[in-house]
Amino acid sequence: AQSVTQLDSQVPVFEEAPVELRCNYSSSVSVYLFWYVQYPNQGLQLLLKYLSGSTLVESINGFEAEFNKSQTSFHLRKPSVHISDTAEYFCAVSSPNDYKLSFGAGTTVTVRA
Amino acid sequence: NAGVTQTPKFRVLKTGQSMTLLCAQDMNHEYMYWYRQDPGMGLRLIHYSVGEGTTAKGEVPDGYNVSRLKKQNFLLGLESAAPSQTSVYFCASRTTSGWAQYFGPGTRLTVL
């Protein structure tokens, strides 16, 4: 089974500053990678996904993540955060023949004015 | 189109009581999942189903049972609740080829 490590449990950041959330996964022949966001007292929402093709994937609200096979990483970045980006972010991984997702422990992003 | 819904939203049980959590989806998804979320541990898979009438164990199945009698519903049961089952429970579903899972709003369960 795949495993996922999110290297930072808490990331405080000032509004309009950049942010990077780090995610590493255990190696496999091929993987599918996801970032989910959870706003306070809500369920998880899909932020972006990598299935194949371009290694740089983007979301509609300015986040991007890059699949790096050699480093088994899928870090999430945003060049300028807003107060509304305060949330918990989860990295998840699956494989083509696996029905399941494996989640990291989560990174809490707190954006301050 | 309500997506994935969960009933109830909150529940408090005493040790030894039983209850059933209901998950419903109106997206005609084949696969459904039950997770629990605990601080610092991310989401852990309890049970899942790849179609009506089928269920399988996930990472932390002990103390839970599930049933999928109808394609749109996935029930999670606790036969004899324990304080260790205090958690937030999430249901999710997906298509056979879509890979991304869609989550419900969660059920916050406290076992005293």
Side-chain angles (χ1 to χ4, degrees), chain A residues 14 17 20 29 32 43 49 55-56 60-61 89 97 99 103 113:
Chain A
F14 287 106
E20 179 181 76
V29 175
Y32 297 149
K49 63 185 178 184
T55 57
L56 185 66
I60 59 173
N61 56 354
Y89 294 80
N97 295 323
Y99 301 117
F103 284 87

Side-chain angles (χ1 to χ4, degrees), chain B residues 28-48:
Chain B
N28 201 35
H29 287 174
E30 284 292 333
Y31 301 162
M32 295 187 75
Y33 306 82
W34 274 108
Y35 295 89
R36 60 177 290 172
Q37 182 181 27
D38 302 291
M41 304 188 75
L43 274 75
R44 294 181 291 169
L45 182 64
I46 304 171
H47 286 282
Y48 64 101

Side-chain angles (χ1 to χ4, degrees), chain A residues 30-45:
Chain A
S30 60
V31 291
Y32 297 149
L33 295 157
F34 306 84
W35 276 100
Y36 282 84
V37 59
Q38 184 180 30
Y39 299 106
N41 299 313
Q42 294 187 25
L44 277 72
Q45 302 174 30

Side-chain angles (χ1 to χ4, degrees), chain B residues 66-82:
Chain B
V66 288
S67 64
R68 182 114 181 256
L69 299 180
K70 294 182 179 180
K71 184 178 182 178
Q72 64 268 33
N73 295 338
F74 195 29
L75 278 64
L76 177 71
L78 286 72
E79 291 185 349
S80 179

Side-chain angles (χ1 to χ4, degrees), chain A residues 53-96:
Chain A
S54 172
T55 57
L56 185 66
V57 291
E58 299 178 354
S59 72
I60 59 173
N61 56 354
F63 283 93
E64 64 178 29
E66 186 163 17
F67 168 55
N68 188 319
K69 187 174 182 178
S70 63
Q71 297 187 2
T72 61
S73 68
F74 191 55
H75 301 334
L76 181 70
R77 303 181 183 92
K78 189 171 185 179
S80 176
V81 295
H82 303 289
I83 297 290
S84 58
D85 292 322
T86 293
E88 190 161 19
Y89 294 80
F90 293 94
C91 182
V93 63
S94 186
S95 303

Side-chain angles (χ1 to χ4, degrees), chain B:
Chain B
N1 190 337
V4 181
T5 59
Q6 293 183 232
T7 309
K9 289 184 169 53
F10 303 92
R11 186 72 186 269
V12 178
L13 290 178
K14 295 180 179 179
T15 297
Q17 288 185 319
S18 63
M19 77 162 294
T20 300
L21 282 67
L22 171 62
C23 175
Q25 52 94 5
D26 60 3
M27 298 176 284
N28 201 35
H29 287 174
E30 284 292 333
Y31 301 162
M32 295 187 75
Y33 306 82
W34 274 108
Y35 295 89
R36 60 177 290 172
Q37 182 181 27
D38 302 291
M41 304 188 75
L43 274 75
R44 294 181 291 169
L45 182 64
I46 304 171
H47 286 282
Y48 64 101
S49 168
V50 298
E52 182 178 318
T54 73
T55 63
K57 295 180 180 180
E59 182 184 355
V60 289
D62 294 342
Y64 305 95
N65 57 75
V66 288
S67 64
R68 182 114 181 256
L69 299 180
K70 294 182 179 180
K71 184 178 182 178
Q72 64 268 33
N73 295 338
F74 195 29
L75 278 64
L76 177 71
L78 286 72
E79 291 185 349
S80 179
S84 60
Q85 294 178 303
T86 293
S87 187
V88 182
Y89 292 85
F90 288 101
C91 177
S93 69
R94 55 161 272 215
T95 64
T96 55
S97 58
W99 292 105
Q101 294 183 15
Y102 295 87
F103 283 79
T107 295
R108 186 173 296 274
L109 175 66
T110 301
V111 183
L112 302 176

